[in-house]
Amino acid sequence: MMAKFIFELNFFACFILFVKCNTELLNEEWINNEESHKILHRSRRSLEEQFFEEQNKTYTCDTSILPQPTAEYPVVLFEGINYNNCSANGKHRRLRTQVFEKWSENLSGPNRARKHKWNSMLMLPGANLTFRACCPSGNNYLSTVDNWNNTANLHYSVLTQDDLKGPTGIWYERWLHWVMSFYIRVDDPVDTTSLPSTCGDNGACYYGQCGLTGKCECADGYSGVDCGTAPTNDSYPTEKKPLVLFKDVDYTGTYLPVNPDDFKRFAYNQRSAREMEYKSMRVLHNRTMMFARNIIYTQKFTPGDDIPDMAEFMIANPNVADGIWYNYDPHYEVDFHVKVEMSGACFNCSETNGVCYTGSCLCKTGFTGDYCDDPV
Ligand SMILES: *[C@@H]1O[C@H](CO)[C@@H](O)[C@H](O)[C@H]1NC(C)=O
Ligand SMILES: *[C@@H]1O[C@H](CO)[C@@H](O)[C@H](O)[C@H]1NC(C)=O
Ligand SMILES: *[C@@H]1O[C@H](CO)[C@@H](O)[C@H](O)[C@H]1NC(C)=O
Ligand SMILES: *[C@@H]1O[C@H](CO)[C@@H](O)[C@H](O)[C@H]1NC(C)=O
Ligand SMILES: *[C@@H]1O[C@H](CO)[C@@H](O)[C@H](O)[C@H]1NC(C)=O
Ligand SMILES: *[C@@H]1O[C@H](CO)[C@@H](O)[C@H](O)[C@H]1NC(C)=O
Ligand SMILES: *[C@@H]1O[C@H](CO)[C@@H](O)[C@H](O)[C@H]1NC(C)=O
Ligand SMILES: *[C@@H]1O[C@H](CO)[C@@H](O)[C@H](O)[C@H]1NC(C)=O
């Protein structure tokens, strides 16, 4: 196992000497050294308590009943530790390669603690992960760990991973008083040799992919052994409406299904403030997406993916955000737009007799033709 790391020496000096180096980074309580020591002591103790408390909850379970990693989504994150207490109930999120996802952040106030959004994780064996502590203070600590494994308690594992927790990693054991969030990314490429080559009843997953345990892992909204049952609810994307925008985060609130190639405004700056018209979105699997500033300056995001919190996604992924000035000063009065491109081969594909998950029209049993319209 090899770890790559980046850290800034000047920060190291700040921390060791307990001096206030950067007003943006430090909590006001760090102003004098004596107080700093007390706070550090307090934070260590509470972290330690958290550590034991969470470790005590770790136990073994049958993970085969849970949503499994696939080639396209090599990591599945679970809301609870122990993969949601070893049950498929509870929130999970599938993670693509090359996209940073926030899994934890610090909490201020009297009960200083970390707030973990995702607590455990199943993954394709042998994938490399990049951990990051950053944003938006300007700090950016990255550490790649090769060959990470299934993790029943992410906080515990990061806290006890020597290369990760300390100064050669992302300082994870220290961050409690800074504005700091923790991200995770699956690096490209991933080794898919452990995946079965066929799945489902007749060896095909229509709107999903083969998971590690040999069952089809369906795209959100799709169901059935072969993921061939389409959602009936138009809050899920389809070939005709490959983008669905939601007023609120986590795909809640009123929603707008959008045609292919149709730019929609999701945010804008006005009177030096950011206005969000839509805060989350679902995208048809693997479609090419485009973000834009004033519709003119575009930034491709390929392949597109569901985004449960667009503001958070932009902070976590400056490679997408910077091209459209998203995280820049809101006194620039600009509009932010998003679209999903038309997939020519898919647009006319029958929605009942065919599926276009992989980008070409695949007919279900009993149908044929370019768009699967003809009975065999
Ligand atoms: C369980 O938690 C207690 C503190 O609440 C701690 O003393 C003990 O060592 C923990 N056990 C394990 C296995 O971590
Ligand atoms: C879920 O957690 C509770 C309490 O921690 C525990 O008693 C129970 O056995 C767990 N359920 C499973 C399926 O392990
Ligand atoms: C992290 O800590 C800073 C400083 O106390 C605070 O301003 C910020 O709101 C905290 N972050 C979260 C998510 O609570
Ligand atoms: C993952 O498991 C393998 C095999 O047990 C081990 O060699 C490797 O060090 C583990 N990776 C991490 C990051 O702990
Ligand atoms: C993980 O990174 C190491 C080098 O750091 C590389 O040898 C290995 O191939 C990578 N794993 C995958 C699955 O790409
Ligand atoms: C689809 O589901 C959402 C909640 O997930 C609900 O608010 C909406 O009314 C449903 N739409 C239709 C057409 O049933
Ligand atoms: C879909 O079919 C219509 C009618 O046959 C045709 O005019 C249109 O060009 C087709 N669209 C695509 C993207 O193939
Ligand atoms: C998704 O798109 C990528 C190219 O962007 C392609 O390599 C991959 O095969 C596609 N996956 C599926 C399941 O269609």
Side-chain angles (χ1 to χ4, degrees):
M1 182 182 64
M2 189 183 93
K4 299 181 213 92
F5 58 85
I6 299 169
F7 71 98
E8 288 164 26
L9 280 171
N10 65 340
F11 171 72
F12 188 72
C14 289
F15 198 86
I16 296 307
L17 302 171
F18 299 111
V19 293
K20 188 170 183 175
C21 299
N22 181 338
T23 45
E24 233 185 65
L25 306 183
L26 303 185
N27 189 294
E28 62 202 349
E29 288 174 71
W30 283 77
I31 285 167
N32 74 63
N33 294 352
E34 200 189 330
E35 185 63 11
S36 305
H37 282 285
K38 274 193 231 146
I39 290 170
L40 185 68
H41 186 66
R42 194 162 75 221
S43 79
R44 282 221 174 112
R45 212 172 47 220
S46 75
L47 259 187
E48 210 172 338
E49 280 160 10
Q50 220 179 323
F51 166 101
F52 281 123
E53 192 189 312
E54 298 201 19
Q55 189 192 30
N56 280 349
K57 288 186 208 152
T58 305
Y59 47 92
T60 327
C61 61
D62 172 15
T63 58
S64 68
I65 57 155
L66 302 172
Q68 296 294 312
T70 65
E72 211 73 24
Y73 299 94
V75 159
V76 186
L77 294 164
F78 295 87
E79 190 174 33
I81 61 166
N82 296 310
Y83 323 103
N84 290 334
N85 202 3
C86 307
S87 96
N89 301 321
K91 267 198 193 174
H92 69 270
R93 171 152 166 81
R94 297 181 183 279
L95 199 59
R96 275 188 178 286
T97 59
Q98 304 290 50
V99 177
F100 275 112
E101 168 84 5
K102 187 195 279 190
W103 67 275
S104 177
E105 62 193 356
N106 70 312
L107 279 183
S108 51
N111 303 315
R112 290 170 187 284
R114 296 239 165 93
K115 192 176 99 191
H116 308 305
K117 182 174 181 189
W118 303 114
N119 277 287
S120 51
M121 169 178 98
L122 288 180
M123 63 184 288
L124 280 191
N128 296 340
L129 298 187
T130 296
F131 290 83
R132 181 180 184 192
C134 78
C135 320
S137 62
N139 274 327
N140 192 17
Y141 300 92
L142 291 164
S143 181
T144 299
V145 185
D146 299 341
N147 194 22
W148 193 270
N149 299 301
N150 286 351
T151 308
N153 186 334
L154 203 45
H155 166 73
Y156 175 85
S157 296
V158 175
L159 193 60
T160 51
Q161 225 275 352
D162 282 338
D163 289 332
L164 212 47
K165 64 176 180 182
T168 58
I170 58 169
W171 295 90
Y172 183 78
E173 63 179 348
R174 296 289 168 88
W175 300 119
L176 208 55
H177 302 283
W178 278 264
V179 179
M180 192 58 76
S181 299
F182 303 96
Y183 298 86
I184 197 167
R185 183 187 72 193
V186 195
D187 292 351
D188 228 9
V190 286
D191 179 1
T192 56
T193 48
S194 51
L195 284 166
S197 52
T198 61
C199 268
D201 275 353
N202 56 5
C205 299
Y206 288 117
Y207 236 95
Q209 264 195 321
C210 249
L212 263 184
T213 53
K215 71 179 169 66
C216 292
E217 299 292 326
C218 303
D220 273 353
Y222 289 78
S223 56
V225 168
D226 54 11
C227 304
T229 310
T232 52
N233 189 311
D234 67 357
S235 71
Y236 291 100
T238 60
E239 303 302 341
K240 298 281 190 289
K241 306 276 184 187
L243 171 66
V244 184
L245 292 166
F246 295 82
K247 282 280 176 208
D248 292 310
V249 297
D250 291 327
Y251 326 113
T252 57
T254 52
Y255 60 88
L256 177 73
V258 183
N259 289 331
D261 279 336
D262 189 4
F263 267 125
K264 283 285 173 228
R265 190 172 74 171
F266 67 95
Y268 57 95
N269 295 337
Q270 200 173 52
R271 289 186 215 96
S272 300
R274 170 65 45 81
E275 300 289 336
M276 296 290 294
E277 281 172 284
Y278 296 99
K279 291 184 181 160
S280 60
M281 60 183 216
R282 285 198 178 116
V283 176
L284 197 62
H285 172 260
N286 229 24
R287 295 303 186 265
T288 301
M289 263 181 64
M290 200 76 93
F291 286 103
R293 165 166 53 93
N294 297 344
I295 310 193
I296 304 165
Y297 304 97
T298 56
Q299 180 68 46
K300 222 178 215 177
F301 172 42
T302 315
D305 198 8
D306 294 353
I307 301 182
D309 184 335
M310 286 153 88
E312 193 176 283
F313 170 86
M314 292 292 175
I315 291 172
N317 293 282
N319 54 324
V320 177
D322 288 357
I324 59 167
W325 297 8
Y326 188 87
N327 295 331
Y328 293 7
D329 191 326
H331 85 252
Y332 295 106
E333 298 219 337
V334 293
D335 292 351
F336 304 101
H337 302 255
V338 61
K339 76 171 184 184
V340 170
E341 294 188 346
M342 162 89 80
S343 164
C346 287
F347 189 72
N348 283 334
C349 187
S350 165
E351 285 185 39
T352 46
N353 312 332
V355 281
C356 220
Y357 186 70
T358 57
S360 60
C361 195
L362 173 69
C363 300
K364 291 189 186 171
T365 314
F367 296 91
T368 184
D370 283 351
Y371 305 127
C372 307
D373 283 331
D374 311 321
V376 173

